[in-house]
Coordinates of all heavy atoms in Angstrom, one line a residue:
V1122 N 107.3 -53.6 0.9 CA 106.3 -53.3 1.9 C 105.0 -52.8 1.3 O 103.9 -53.2 1.7 CB 106.9 -52.2 2.9 CG1 105.8 -51.7 3.8 CG2 108.0 -52.8 3.7
F1123 N 105.1 -52.0 0.3 CA 103.9 -51.5 -0.4 C 103.1 -52.6 -1.1 O 101.9 -52.6 -1.0 CB 104.4 -50.5 -1.5 CG 103.3 -49.8 -2.2 CD1 102.4 -48.9 -1.6 CD2 103.1 -50.0 -3.6 CE1 101.4 -48.3 -2.3 CE2 102.1 -49.4 -4.3 CZ 101.2 -48.5 -3.7
T1124 N 103.8 -53.5 -1.7 CA 103.1 -54.7 -2.3 C 102.4 -55.5 -1.3 O 101.2 -55.9 -1.5 CB 104.2 -55.6 -3.0 OG1 104.9 -54.8 -4.0 CG2 103.5 -56.8 -3.6
L1125 N 103.0 -55.8 -0.1 CA 102.3 -56.5 0.9 C 101.1 -55.8 1.4 O 100.0 -56.4 1.6 CB 103.3 -56.8 2.1 CG 104.4 -57.7 1.8 CD1 105.5 -57.7 2.9 CD2 103.9 -59.2 1.6
L1126 N 101.2 -54.5 1.6 CA 100.1 -53.7 2.1 C 98.9 -53.6 1.1 O 97.7 -53.7 1.5 CB 100.5 -52.2 2.4 CG 101.5 -52.1 3.6 CD1 101.8 -50.6 3.8 CD2 100.9 -52.7 4.9
T1127 N 99.2 -53.6 -0.2 CA 98.2 -53.6 -1.2 C 97.5 -54.9 -1.3 O 96.3 -55.0 -1.5 CB 98.7 -53.1 -2.6 OG1 99.8 -54.0 -3.0 CG2 99.2 -51.7 -2.5
W1128 N 98.3 -56.0 -1.2 CA 97.7 -57.3 -1.2 C 96.7 -57.5 0.0 O 95.6 -58.0 -0.2 CB 98.8 -58.4 -1.0 CG 99.6 -58.6 -2.3 CD1 99.3 -58.2 -3.6 CD2 100.8 -59.4 -2.4 NE1 100.2 -58.6 -4.5 CE2 101.1 -59.4 -3.8 CE3 101.5 -60.1 -1.5 CZ2 102.3 -60.0 -4.3 CZ3 102.7 -60.8 -2.0 CH2 103.0 -60.7 -3.4
A1129 N 97.2 -57.1 1.2 CA 96.3 -57.2 2.4 C 95.1 -56.4 2.3 O 94.0 -56.9 2.6 CB 97.1 -56.9 3.6
A1130 N 95.2 -55.2 1.8 CA 94.1 -54.3 1.6 C 93.1 -54.8 0.6 O 91.8 -54.8 0.8 CB 94.5 -52.9 1.2
T1131 N 93.6 -55.4 -0.5 CA 92.7 -56.0 -1.5 C 92.0 -57.2 -0.9 O 90.7 -57.3 -1.2 CB 93.5 -56.4 -2.7 OG1 94.1 -55.2 -3.3 CG2 92.6 -57.0 -3.8
A1132 N 92.7 -58.0 -0.2 CA 92.1 -59.2 0.3 C 91.0 -58.9 1.4 O 89.9 -59.5 1.4 CB 93.1 -60.1 1.0
L1133 N 91.3 -57.9 2.2 CA 90.3 -57.4 3.2 C 89.0 -56.9 2.5 O 87.9 -57.2 2.9 CB 90.9 -56.4 4.1 CG 91.9 -56.9 5.1 CD1 92.7 -55.8 5.7 CD2 91.1 -57.7 6.2
A1134 N 89.2 -56.0 1.5 CA 88.1 -55.4 0.8 C 87.3 -56.5 0.1 O 86.0 -56.4 0.1 CB 88.6 -54.4 -0.2
E1135 N 87.9 -57.5 -0.6 CA 87.2 -58.5 -1.3 C 86.4 -59.4 -0.3 O 85.4 -60.0 -0.7 CB 88.1 -59.4 -2.0 CG 88.7 -58.7 -3.3 CD 89.8 -59.5 -4.0 OE1 90.2 -60.6 -3.4 OE2 90.2 -59.2 -5.1
A1136 N 86.8 -59.4 1.0 CA 86.1 -60.2 2.0 C 85.0 -59.4 2.7 O 84.4 -59.8 3.6 CB 87.1 -60.8 3.0
G1137 N 84.8 -58.1 2.2 CA 83.8 -57.2 2.8 C 84.2 -56.6 4.1 O 83.4 -56.1 4.8
R1138 N 85.6 -56.6 4.3 CA 86.1 -55.9 5.5 C 86.8 -54.6 5.1 O 87.3 -54.5 4.0 CB 87.0 -56.8 6.3 CG 86.4 -58.1 6.9 CD 87.5 -59.0 7.4 NE 86.9 -60.2 8.0 CZ 86.8 -60.4 9.3 NH1 87.2 -59.5 10.2 NH2 86.3 -61.6 9.8
T1139 N 86.9 -53.7 6.1 CA 87.5 -52.4 5.8 C 88.9 -52.4 6.5 O 89.0 -52.7 7.7 CB 86.7 -51.2 6.3 OG1 85.4 -51.2 5.7 CG2 87.4 -49.9 6.0

Side-chain angles (χ1 to χ4, degrees):
V1122 170
F1123 183 66
T1124 300
L1125 291 168
L1126 293 180
T1127 56
W1128 284 349
T1131 300
L1133 286 164
E1135 290 175 349
R1138 296 172 179 255
T1139 302

